[in-house]
Amino acid sequence: MKKSQIIAMKKVAAVVVSSALILTACGGENASSGVYDANSKAEISWLNILHTASPPTDTVLNKLEEKTNSDITFSWIPDASKEERINTALASDSLSDIVTLTLLDNSSVRNALKSGMFWEVEPYLKDYPNLAKIPPETIKSASIGGKLYGVPFQKDLARNGVTIRKDWLDKLGLEVPKTTDELMAVAKAFTEQDPDGNGANDTTGFVDRNDLVYGAFKTLSSYFGTPNNWQVSEDGKMTPEFMTEGYMKTMNYMKDLYDKGYINKDFAVTAKTDQQQKFAQGKAGIYVGALFDSKNLLNMSKGVQDDMELVMANDITSTGNESDRAIWAANNGIGGLLSFPRSEVKDEAELKRILKFVNDLLDEDSFALMTYGIEGTHYKVDDKDAATITNTDLWQQEVQPFASSRPKESGYNIHDADPLKQMADKMIADNANYAVLNPAYALESETYNTQGSELQKMIVDATYKYILGEIDENGFNQAIESWKSAGGSSIISEYEASYKATQS
């Protein structure tokens, strides 16, 4: 049995709680002398999110413990059930020394953070070399009510763009599109001109999924000048993105794709895995999403579409003007917080030791362990710090689950040797120059905290209905009025008040 499992079982056996809490609890208080000792071995429990089918084995964990001089006990919550399980853990105070909080717009999470349940950490960051490098704008975006209740997960600002079948472009004599009109023309050609040459009418331009944020819609909306969730005027007036001209243009563009058959007809009910499989199987030639997905798409095509060649675009606009180039920034580059509950981290000495642990996770060696694994076992690296996974199955079992636990995901010397991934990383870094932030990300709205998800669903449903032709523009505007009367107007006024307070 793995060490982490044995420790977790002993801790769980010490308390009697419901089965849901058993799965989320990582009990145990750390002993503390009250004096911070950076060289002491840390006993750390970590309530964390799992984005893979199963937790990692102890191989990399043991190396990570050596590197950080710690004993780490993970309790993993599957990503699919994180909201319910985190809410339960917060309500019952069944937490760990470190708690991964990714849903910062969740009302239970925000209320817990504002209540004083977790340590405020900004005053301590300057004392640790890696934590001291966190940009001020990142700290501002990750703060709630002007206070930082954890170490931010630092994500790339803007990861999205368009991945296109280059071999299909070449066969049809087409160039990489620079405008949304040119992208539409490519979609038309990929649908109507038999790009795979099999004589059958079995391809579409776009393949998309049931996600208006991480699918095609929000990236396309950037090309039409749509703000990122909210727009703020010079006099502090807040406007939600779906009340702007750019949003309507995006809906019309998607509707055009749908009506003409240039996108998979079932996109509104297609899961991400199915979307990627359709692309890899040669059923479509345009994929809008994270640029680094291109490497995965190409790997998935092996043995099915061995002639596949891909090209990426991150500079598309609706006008053709470079000055209009923009791309939305996901959560302003914040992937959540590593937070430290006062119920588990009893005093400042414990907090400082745990912050030292997080600081060590930001070292290049730790990043390499959590990204590529152990050199010689999982990967090899050349004299230019380019890493190649040598045992994919072993890497998936022992390394991949740690990727989402990295406090920072880029900015290191070691990098992927795959040329497509290198190009994606370069474009993602370039995107940062054109990233559009969400001005409301760090603002406070009690109505949004309590009703935001329910209200947003009204707009999501209306957006899909418009694209699918079930309602017209009047119907969409009626949905906006319903949103306002159900609480949306309160969100606007509360955000405006919060914004005004931050400017004073």
Side-chain angles (χ1 to χ4, degrees):
M1 183 176 291
K2 294 185 292 187
K3 180 186 71 173
S4 58
Q5 292 176 317
I6 294 172
I7 296 173
M9 288 177 65
K10 288 180 179 178
K11 291 185 177 183
V12 170
V15 293
V16 179
V17 291
S18 70
S19 59
L21 296 182
I22 289 175
L23 289 169
T24 57
C26 303
E29 298 178 3
N30 293 340
S32 173
S33 64
V35 179
Y36 168 51
D37 180 2
N39 298 315
S40 64
K41 190 164 189 175
E43 298 282 342
I44 293 175
S45 57
W46 187 345
L47 185 60
N48 206 1
I49 309 300
L50 182 67
H51 292 267
T52 55
S54 57
T57 62
D58 287 343
T59 306
V60 171
L61 175 61
N62 292 337
K63 291 290 185 181
L64 204 58
E65 289 177 328
E66 291 176 19
K67 167 70 179 64
T68 59
N69 189 25
S70 62
D71 283 327
I72 311 167
T73 302
F74 282 103
S75 277
W76 297 100
I77 295 177
D79 182 62
S81 58
K82 64 186 176 186
E83 184 164 12
E84 175 188 354
R85 302 275 285 276
I86 287 293
N87 286 347
T88 301
L90 290 172
S92 62
D93 202 14
S94 300
L95 302 169
S96 305
D97 300 327
I98 301 175
V99 180
T100 295
L101 298 174
T102 58
L103 300 171
L104 296 186
D105 58 353
N106 176 282
S107 59
S108 296
V109 171
R110 293 186 75 87
N111 289 334
L113 291 170
K114 291 189 295 182
S115 73
M117 182 182 291
F118 294 89
W119 284 88
E120 183 188 355
V121 302
E122 185 176 357
Y124 301 95
L125 300 184
K126 65 182 185 302
D127 299 326
Y128 305 88
N130 292 325
L131 298 179
K133 295 176 184 176
I134 299 175
E137 56 270 23
T138 299
I139 292 174
K140 181 179 179 181
S141 288
S143 296
I144 294 177
K147 295 185 178 181
L148 184 66
Y149 295 106
V151 176
F153 282 97
Q154 299 174 71
K155 301 290 187 179
D156 291 307
L157 264 181
R159 303 184 292 184
N160 282 31
V162 182
T163 298
I164 307 173
R165 287 286 297 261
K166 182 180 184 300
D167 51 322
W168 286 8
L169 288 175
D170 292 344
K171 179 175 181 180
L172 300 179
L174 299 171
E175 300 293 328
V176 177
K178 293 288 188 180
T179 68
T180 49
D181 284 345
E182 292 174 359
L183 185 61
M184 177 72 74
V186 170
K188 172 181 170 67
F190 282 2
T191 304
E192 299 177 352
Q193 296 182 27
D194 191 24
D196 58 1
N198 67 354
N201 183 22
D202 58 356
T203 59
T204 61
F206 284 76
V207 61
D208 196 24
R209 63 181 186 264
N210 59 340
D211 189 335
L212 292 181
V213 178
Y214 295 101
F217 187 89
K218 197 165 181 68
T219 296
L220 291 173
S221 76
S222 293
Y223 304 156
F224 286 102
T226 309
N228 186 1
N229 287 38
W230 289 84
Q231 179 176 277
V232 58
S233 65
E234 290 184 3
D235 59 353
K237 297 298 182 183
M238 303 290 294
T239 303
E241 62 181 357
F242 50 82
M243 290 172 60
T244 66
E245 182 182 5
Y247 196 93
M248 179 58 67
K249 286 182 176 179
T250 309
M251 288 200 300
N252 284 329
Y253 190 88
M254 290 283 289
K255 178 174 171 53
D256 207 15
L257 289 173
Y258 180 79
D259 289 345
K260 294 177 178 178
Y262 301 163
I263 191 171
N264 53 311
K265 286 292 187 181
D266 60 350
F267 81 93
V269 294
T270 297
K272 181 179 180 178
T273 52
D274 294 329
Q275 174 201 21
Q276 293 186 336
Q277 285 291 344
K278 288 180 179 181
F279 188 93
Q281 292 165 3
K283 296 180 180 179
I286 301 172
Y287 175 95
V288 184
L291 288 162
F292 54 66
D293 283 343
S294 58
K295 175 186 174 181
N296 300 330
L297 294 170
L298 192 62
N299 288 337
M300 290 169 65
S301 74
K302 301 302 183 186
V304 182
Q305 295 277 305
D306 287 328
D307 295 330
M308 180 184 287
E309 295 179 57
L310 300 179
V311 65
M312 292 168 285
N314 71 330
D315 57 355
I316 294 173
T317 66
S318 60
T319 63
N321 298 324
E322 172 71 15
S323 60
D324 292 326
R325 186 175 163 189
I327 184 69
W328 66 284
N331 299 317
N332 289 8
I334 309 299
L337 293 173
L338 290 169
S339 294
F340 318 108
R342 291 179 176 272
S343 61
E344 303 298 318
V345 182
K346 298 294 187 181
D347 55 33
E348 192 176 57
E350 284 190 37
L351 176 65
K352 288 182 175 181
R353 182 61 188 90
I354 292 175
L355 286 172
K356 169 67 165 56
F357 166 76
V358 177
N359 181 82
D360 291 345
L361 289 183
L362 285 160
D363 285 345
E364 177 116 9
D365 291 345
S366 299
F367 172 82
L369 274 171
M370 300 173 81
T371 305
Y372 300 105
I374 300 169
E375 185 178 354
T377 301
H378 305 102
Y379 76 99
K380 62 181 180 181
V381 63
D382 64 18
D383 57 1
K384 296 181 180 179
D385 291 322
T388 302
I389 302 298
T390 54
N391 189 328
T392 301
D393 290 341
L394 193 64
W395 176 83
Q396 289 175 338
Q397 295 170 15
E398 299 183 344
V399 186
Q400 188 180 23
F402 286 108
S404 60
S405 303
R406 299 170 300 175
K408 185 181 178 186
E409 68 178 12
S410 62
Y412 297 92
N413 290 326
I414 191 169
H415 59 279
D416 202 300
D418 182 86
L420 206 57
K421 179 62 163 58
Q422 289 183 18
M423 180 55 69
D425 290 343
K426 183 178 179 180
M427 287 186 169
I428 289 170
D430 181 48
N431 274 351
N433 298 314
Y434 305 93
V436 179
L437 300 182
N438 173 9
Y441 189 76
L443 300 182
E444 281 297 300
S445 164
E446 186 59 33
T447 305
Y448 181 83
N449 291 345
T450 57
Q451 298 177 240
S453 297
E454 176 186 343
L455 290 170
Q456 185 61 25
K457 188 176 183 301
M458 296 169 62
I459 300 301
V460 170
D461 289 347
T463 301
Y464 277 120
K465 287 179 179 178
Y466 184 90
I467 294 170
L468 300 179
E470 297 175 10
I471 60 174
D472 58 12
E473 186 171 349
N474 287 333
F476 186 76
N477 289 333
Q478 289 174 13
I480 291 176
E481 293 304 315
S482 297
W483 176 86
K484 287 180 180 179
S485 61
S489 292
S490 297
I491 293 176
I492 292 174
S493 60
E494 288 164 7
Y495 273 154
E496 288 176 348
S498 181
Y499 180 80
K500 182 178 180 181
T502 64
Q503 304 302 302
S504 58

